[in-house]
Amino acid sequence: MPEPAVVPPDPHAAPPRTERVVIIGAGIVGCSLADELAARGWRDVTVLEQGPLAAPGGSTSHAPGLVFRTNASRTMTQYARYTVEKFSSLTVDGRSCFLPVGGLEVASTEARRLDLHRKAGLAAAWGVEGELVGPARCAELFPLLDADAVLGGFHTPGDGLARAQLACQAQIERARRRGARFLDRHTVTGIEREGGRVTGVVTDRGTFPADHVVSAAGFWGPVIGAMAGVDVPLLPLAHQYAKTAPLPELTGARPHGAEAVRPLLRHQDHDLYYREHLDPAGGPGRIGIGTYAHRPLPVDPYAIPAFDEAPVMPSSLPFTEEDFAASWAETRRMLPRLAASRVEEGFNGVFSFTPDGMPLLGESRTLRGFWLAEAVWVTHSAGAARAVAELMTDGRTTVDVHECDLHRFEKAQRSPAYVRERGVSSFVEVYDVIHPLQPPERARALRTSPFYPRQRELGAHFLESGGWERPHWYEANAPLVAELKGELPERDAWSAQHWSPIAAAEAEVTRARVALYDMTPLRRLEVTGPGSLDFLQRMTTNNLKKRPGSVTYTLLLDEAGGIRSDLTAARLGRDRWQLGANTPADLDWLIRRAPEGVQVRDITSGTCCIGVWGPLARQLVQPLSPADLSHEAFGYFKARETYVGHVPVTALRVSYVGELGWELYADADVGLRLWDTLWEAGQRLGVIAAGRSAFNSLRLEKGYRAWGSDMTTEHTPEEAGVSFAVRPSKGDFVGLGALAARGQAARKLVCLTLDDPAALVMGSEPVHLDGVVAGYVTSAGYGYSVGRCVAYAWLPAAAAAPGTAVSVEYFGEKTAATVAAEPLFDPEMARIRR
């Protein structure tokens, strides 16, 4: 159910803002941001640029301008959609800032052909028009292409070329009319700060006082960040781009002097892309060739020359022909009409890469008023700029921004070595077929729980999240597969990746006996101090005014009622709380708003957690603990500090798998002893270690939402099905007023079960209602207890009634599904409350 992109706000309706804003960098991001802020009423906006405004010399000045909107990230797709819509509305001297020539991605391998089918599903889910086409149609769309060299393609007619420098000019002119000023030839030399806030920007031509400073400096971002004392995890790398000699085939009149008329072409099997460079006068045009197939070429941002010292421009480094040789050979094979041509010119252009390939957007926690709008390419420029402008103006964004939040990286992920290794990986994987569960190959085993040695002994298959090594299943449990009660559906090559039938056995044992789950990567925050109750009551939706020893599921909302996060709040003392949270952004959100006397700190790294779940959980834990663990003495959603063997633990009677049990928290230094104690005592009960794959299946069967995939800031509690965690009667809290003003939900997160027990989906697939795409899958997995695939999806509220028939598209094939009442497993919650 894709939402339309939002157009810039009406400047006449925007209230004036008096804060002084200085934006560093007049590339496409800086210009877009200035325009967005000016449109929202910010009248004192200054953009500083070290080079000339016409072509300042950063990545914008050489970017080829390709805009392919479809991305595995819905957020990035929405940013690209907005960029296309905005630039399509901008003109300079009658020339549009966007040319909708379309995009064409081709497959020369079966793996890529299947991936294009998956991408077509993503496009449909995210609201991008596209069609799968055969080889002949590919050659028709791009006549230089050899039809016999491809198996097919994916055509997106609304994609095209962003004329970045023209878009900069248009937005500069519009922002100036609204009061913004743009100053070129100003090199930033320092950032002034006082009392933890930014106060100004120092340049070689004077100092500019500021209440807000935004670094939109591109690959110079780490340099600007260092001036402000702010870490910017970004690695500049060089990327090759070349142009052929003029080609007679590209001769002729062009509509309105267009520089391209045929679709952009991506040959991702060999990390290549192509675009036309036509002669507006009708003479022979050329083909531009970009490649990621060469060795990674990291660039030191401190060594990049200033504009006047650069031979061409700072972002344009000398072309290394030896790196281009393989790409040129492949180009002549795919585009045989280029066999007699030659590479006439080329350069190595510098772009920004982050450890996960996503932008860095938001305000620094360590320096208030200092913002980042970094690692943003032209494709997503206007959308990312809108997001930063919304954050600065409203404190929230139209499109969920958590994947781009600058706080998403842990401290352990910010070392120069890590940023370099993962940045290089981001470059290498730009055009790779990436499975949603695929773990990085570089900088592994960075964060491990105290149980890691035992997990390796049990043959854990590790994936990674947040730098943590997370077991997804254990080879030690392979013999249990033969004991499975039901047959498992045969998996296709895609769904079989990073999966094992062992996960089914682990889920079955959890339901039948007892299993140990490593929950250490679950983020833990400690909130202490007088006033902590009042603070958390104000920040969260549920009523936390309960006696110590209580546990409450609650939500963090933003001011508009969107779900920022969900929390498990355990009150361990009068003024001491442990929160189970999601991302580093939760910590940032709470720290910024904590009153004097209330401390919020992340205790994750110094602690660990084991989930002990299953019908025999009490039989395992009770003999090891002096506490009375009976249901009467230690009920569901209660907390207690006790011991397991010699180990002090904080025990929470909660379960995310729908079975009796506890989360047992301990200090990291005694974590291995806790594991060994439980493991040894559990042998008589048939205890196993179970992984994340089984965990995900079990939580889907219980209808437990996963923040970040099932629900985000774009959704309200009612829409997401978690309004039970909202207690308006407790008094005012962040977002309450907005919820009251929202009215009835127009969409709902619903549970789907696939009608065919052998059918599978993975997540992000489009959902069809009456033959039309009406929504998309958020998360999915096979429910081993219910014997079919379970998927959660966003659908119109009118289609949320149980029994509604829909279909889910998976690799181009539609499979029937039905909206189901939830939870699917143990709706009476009897198993948890034994």
Side-chain angles (χ1 to χ4, degrees), residues 559-583:
E559 285 81 357
I563 304 171
R564 283 192 56 91
S565 187
D566 61 344
L567 307 175
T568 302
R571 191 175 191 183
L572 303 181
R574 176 181 173 84
D575 298 314
R576 183 165 68 94
W577 303 76
Q578 179 176 298
L579 306 182
N582 286 294
T583 73

mmCIF file of all heavy atoms in Angstrom, residues 559-583:
data_model
loop_
_atom_site.group_PDB
_atom_site.id
_atom_site.type_symbol
_atom_site.label_atom_id
_atom_site.label_comp_id
_atom_site.label_asym_id
_atom_site.label_seq_id
_atom_site.Cartn_x
_atom_site.Cartn_y
_atom_site.Cartn_z
ATOM 1 N N GLU A 559 5.961 13.007 18.549
ATOM 2 C CA GLU A 559 4.915 13.992 18.830
ATOM 3 C C GLU A 559 3.695 13.834 17.934
ATOM 4 O O GLU A 559 2.601 14.313 18.268
ATOM 5 C CB GLU A 559 5.473 15.417 18.696
ATOM 6 C CG GLU A 559 6.361 15.863 19.847
ATOM 7 C CD GLU A 559 7.792 15.337 19.737
ATOM 8 O OE1 GLU A 559 8.086 14.573 18.790
ATOM 9 O OE2 GLU A 559 8.624 15.684 20.601
ATOM 10 N N ALA A 560 3.857 13.158 16.804
ATOM 11 C CA ALA A 560 2.730 12.949 15.887
ATOM 12 C C ALA A 560 2.048 11.603 16.110
ATOM 13 O O ALA A 560 1.167 11.231 15.344
ATOM 14 C CB ALA A 560 3.215 13.066 14.443
ATOM 15 N N GLY A 561 2.466 10.867 17.133
ATOM 16 C CA GLY A 561 1.833 9.595 17.438
ATOM 17 C C GLY A 561 2.424 8.403 16.718
ATOM 18 O O GLY A 561 1.892 7.294 16.823
ATOM 19 N N GLY A 562 3.528 8.599 15.996
ATOM 20 C CA GLY A 562 4.201 7.483 15.333
ATOM 21 C C GLY A 562 5.023 6.671 16.315
ATOM 22 O O GLY A 562 5.544 7.208 17.309
ATOM 23 N N ILE A 563 5.175 5.389 16.052
ATOM 24 C CA ILE A 563 5.870 4.486 16.973
ATOM 25 C C ILE A 563 7.379 4.573 16.743
ATOM 26 O O ILE A 563 7.909 4.055 15.761
ATOM 27 C CB ILE A 563 5.388 3.035 16.794
ATOM 28 C CG1 ILE A 563 3.878 2.950 16.976
ATOM 29 C CG2 ILE A 563 6.095 2.113 17.789
ATOM 30 C CD1 ILE A 563 3.295 1.594 16.611
ATOM 31 N N ARG A 564 8.061 5.228 17.663
ATOM 32 C CA ARG A 564 9.518 5.325 17.587
ATOM 33 C C ARG A 564 10.186 4.018 17.998
ATOM 34 O O ARG A 564 11.254 3.674 17.509
ATOM 35 C CB ARG A 564 10.035 6.441 18.491
ATOM 36 C CG ARG A 564 9.871 7.847 17.965
ATOM 37 C CD ARG A 564 10.690 8.798 18.807
ATOM 38 N NE ARG A 564 12.081 8.388 18.832
ATOM 39 C CZ ARG A 564 13.010 8.805 17.974
ATOM 40 N NH1 ARG A 564 12.674 9.637 17.008
ATOM 41 N NH2 ARG A 564 14.256 8.399 18.073
ATOM 42 N N SER A 565 9.569 3.322 18.954
ATOM 43 C CA SER A 565 10.153 2.076 19.438
ATOM 44 C C SER A 565 9.149 1.406 20.364
ATOM 45 O O SER A 565 8.141 2.011 20.753
ATOM 46 C CB SER A 565 11.465 2.355 20.190
ATOM 47 O OG SER A 565 12.130 1.158 20.531
ATOM 48 N N ASP A 566 9.396 0.145 20.683
ATOM 49 C CA ASP A 566 8.650 -0.505 21.754
ATOM 50 C C ASP A 566 9.640 -0.961 22.812
ATOM 51 O O ASP A 566 10.788 -1.293 22.519
ATOM 52 C CB ASP A 566 7.779 -1.654 21.231
ATOM 53 C CG ASP A 566 8.569 -2.766 20.581
ATOM 54 O OD1 ASP A 566 9.756 -2.562 20.247
ATOM 55 O OD2 ASP A 566 8.006 -3.849 20.386
ATOM 56 N N LEU A 567 9.202 -0.950 24.066
ATOM 57 C CA LEU A 567 10.081 -1.206 25.197
ATOM 58 C C LEU A 567 9.447 -2.224 26.134
ATOM 59 O O LEU A 567 8.227 -2.312 26.248
ATOM 60 C CB LEU A 567 10.331 0.075 26.007
ATOM 61 C CG LEU A 567 10.840 1.328 25.297
ATOM 62 C CD1 LEU A 567 10.883 2.489 26.297
ATOM 63 C CD2 LEU A 567 12.206 1.094 24.693
ATOM 64 N N THR A 568 10.294 -2.967 26.819
ATOM 65 C CA THR A 568 9.885 -3.743 27.979
ATOM 66 C C THR A 568 10.489 -3.059 29.201
ATOM 67 O O THR A 568 11.706 -3.018 29.343
ATOM 68 C CB THR A 568 10.380 -5.199 27.885
ATOM 69 O OG1 THR A 568 9.861 -5.792 26.696
ATOM 70 C CG2 THR A 568 9.905 -5.997 29.080
ATOM 71 N N ALA A 569 9.629 -2.486 30.025
ATOM 72 C CA ALA A 569 10.097 -1.689 31.167
ATOM 73 C C ALA A 569 9.949 -2.492 32.450
ATOM 74 O O ALA A 569 8.835 -2.794 32.883
ATOM 75 C CB ALA A 569 9.309 -0.387 31.251
ATOM 76 N N ALA A 570 11.072 -2.843 33.071
ATOM 77 C CA ALA A 570 11.067 -3.577 34.340
ATOM 78 C C ALA A 570 11.427 -2.609 35.465
ATOM 79 O O ALA A 570 12.503 -1.996 35.441
ATOM 80 C CB ALA A 570 12.066 -4.725 34.290
ATOM 81 N N ARG A 571 10.530 -2.472 36.425
ATOM 82 C CA ARG A 571 10.815 -1.611 37.563
ATOM 83 C C ARG A 571 11.496 -2.450 38.632
ATOM 84 O O ARG A 571 10.879 -3.280 39.297
ATOM 85 C CB ARG A 571 9.534 -0.992 38.114
ATOM 86 C CG ARG A 571 9.804 0.118 39.130
ATOM 87 C CD ARG A 571 8.540 0.815 39.593
ATOM 88 N NE ARG A 571 8.870 2.023 40.343
ATOM 89 C CZ ARG A 571 7.966 2.817 40.925
ATOM 90 N NH1 ARG A 571 6.675 2.508 40.833
ATOM 91 N NH2 ARG A 571 8.357 3.894 41.578
ATOM 92 N N LEU A 572 12.796 -2.240 38.789
ATOM 93 C CA LEU A 572 13.593 -3.052 39.711
ATOM 94 C C LEU A 572 13.715 -2.421 41.090
ATOM 95 O O LEU A 572 14.145 -3.081 42.038
ATOM 96 C CB LEU A 572 14.987 -3.277 39.118
ATOM 97 C CG LEU A 572 15.001 -3.938 37.721
ATOM 98 C CD1 LEU A 572 16.431 -4.122 37.252
ATOM 99 C CD2 LEU A 572 14.254 -5.255 37.736
ATOM 100 N N GLY A 573 13.381 -1.175 41.207
ATOM 101 C CA GLY A 573 13.414 -0.466 42.488
ATOM 102 C C GLY A 573 12.572 0.788 42.368
ATOM 103 O O GLY A 573 12.059 1.102 41.292
ATOM 104 N N ARG A 574 12.490 1.517 43.440
ATOM 105 C CA ARG A 574 11.660 2.737 43.397
ATOM 106 C C ARG A 574 12.106 3.678 42.290
ATOM 107 O O ARG A 574 11.284 4.234 41.558
ATOM 108 C CB ARG A 574 11.718 3.441 44.758
ATOM 109 C CG ARG A 574 10.974 4.769 44.785
ATOM 110 C CD ARG A 574 11.084 5.450 46.140
ATOM 111 N NE ARG A 574 10.502 6.780 46.094
ATOM 112 C CZ ARG A 574 9.212 7.051 46.250
ATOM 113 N NH1 ARG A 574 8.368 6.065 46.460
ATOM 114 N NH2 ARG A 574 8.770 8.297 46.205
ATOM 115 N N ASP A 575 13.419 3.838 42.155
ATOM 116 C CA ASP A 575 13.963 4.772 41.155
ATOM 117 C C ASP A 575 14.966 4.078 40.244
ATOM 118 O O ASP A 575 15.953 4.678 39.817
ATOM 119 C CB ASP A 575 14.633 5.964 41.847
ATOM 120 C CG ASP A 575 13.659 6.778 42.681
ATOM 121 O OD1 ASP A 575 12.562 7.078 42.165
ATOM 122 O OD2 ASP A 575 13.992 7.097 43.839
ATOM 123 N N ARG A 576 14.723 2.798 39.958
ATOM 124 C CA ARG A 576 15.642 2.057 39.089
ATOM 125 C C ARG A 576 14.845 1.199 38.114
ATOM 126 O O ARG A 576 13.991 0.418 38.535
ATOM 127 C CB ARG A 576 16.595 1.195 39.921
ATOM 128 C CG ARG A 576 17.640 0.446 39.078
ATOM 129 C CD ARG A 576 18.763 -0.069 39.974
ATOM 130 N NE ARG A 576 18.297 -1.113 40.875
ATOM 131 C CZ ARG A 576 18.397 -2.415 40.594
ATOM 132 N NH1 ARG A 576 18.927 -2.818 39.460
ATOM 133 N NH2 ARG A 576 17.975 -3.314 41.474
ATOM 134 N N TRP A 577 15.172 1.346 36.838
ATOM 135 C CA TRP A 577 14.441 0.662 35.773
ATOM 136 C C TRP A 577 15.425 0.014 34.806
ATOM 137 O O TRP A 577 16.515 0.543 34.563
ATOM 138 C CB TRP A 577 13.589 1.651 34.974
ATOM 139 C CG TRP A 577 12.616 2.413 35.801
ATOM 140 C CD1 TRP A 577 12.883 3.467 36.629
ATOM 141 C CD2 TRP A 577 11.207 2.175 35.890
ATOM 142 N NE1 TRP A 577 11.739 3.914 37.230
ATOM 143 C CE2 TRP A 577 10.679 3.132 36.791
ATOM 144 C CE3 TRP A 577 10.341 1.266 35.293
ATOM 145 C CZ2 TRP A 577 9.330 3.194 37.101
ATOM 146 C CZ3 TRP A 577 8.996 1.326 35.597
ATOM 147 C CH2 TRP A 577 8.494 2.269 36.493
ATOM 148 N N GLN A 578 15.021 -1.114 34.269
ATOM 149 C CA GLN A 578 15.741 -1.710 33.141
ATOM 150 C C GLN A 578 14.783 -1.747 31.961
ATOM 151 O O GLN A 578 13.681 -2.289 32.053
ATOM 152 C CB GLN A 578 16.225 -3.124 33.458
ATOM 153 C CG GLN A 578 16.951 -3.788 32.286
ATOM 154 C CD GLN A 578 17.505 -5.148 32.638
ATOM 155 O OE1 GLN A 578 18.355 -5.275 33.520
ATOM 156 N NE2 GLN A 578 17.014 -6.174 31.977
ATOM 157 N N LEU A 579 15.223 -1.158 30.838
ATOM 158 C CA LEU A 579 14.398 -1.098 29.639
ATOM 159 C C LEU A 579 14.982 -2.017 28.569
ATOM 160 O O LEU A 579 16.175 -1.928 28.259
ATOM 161 C CB LEU A 579 14.334 0.329 29.091
ATOM 162 C CG LEU A 579 13.889 1.441 30.036
ATOM 163 C CD1 LEU A 579 13.845 2.770 29.295
ATOM 164 C CD2 LEU A 579 12.534 1.127 30.650
ATOM 165 N N GLY A 580 14.161 -2.872 28.008
ATOM 166 C CA GLY A 580 14.543 -3.618 26.817
ATOM 167 C C GLY A 580 14.176 -2.767 25.619
ATOM 168 O O GLY A 580 12.983 -2.518 25.377
ATOM 169 N N ALA A 581 15.166 -2.274 24.891
ATOM 170 C CA ALA A 581 14.945 -1.307 23.814
ATOM 171 C C ALA A 581 15.388 -1.898 22.479
ATOM 172 O O ALA A 581 15.676 -3.092 22.373
ATOM 173 C CB ALA A 581 15.688 -0.012 24.124
ATOM 174 N N ASN A 582 15.475 -1.062 21.441
ATOM 175 C CA ASN A 582 15.777 -1.550 20.098
ATOM 176 C C ASN A 582 17.097 -1.036 19.537
ATOM 177 O O ASN A 582 18.004 -1.802 19.297
ATOM 178 C CB ASN A 582 14.623 -1.203 19.148
ATOM 179 C CG ASN A 582 13.408 -2.070 19.368
ATOM 180 O OD1 ASN A 582 13.432 -3.263 19.143
ATOM 181 N ND2 ASN A 582 12.314 -1.464 19.831
ATOM 182 N N THR A 583 17.214 0.260 19.342
ATOM 183 C CA THR A 583 18.382 0.797 18.647
ATOM 184 C C THR A 583 19.065 1.864 19.493
ATOM 185 O O THR A 583 18.504 2.346 20.491
ATOM 186 C CB THR A 583 17.972 1.431 17.304
ATOM 187 O OG1 THR A 583 17.289 2.680 17.569
ATOM 188 C CG2 THR A 583 17.060 0.500 16.511
#
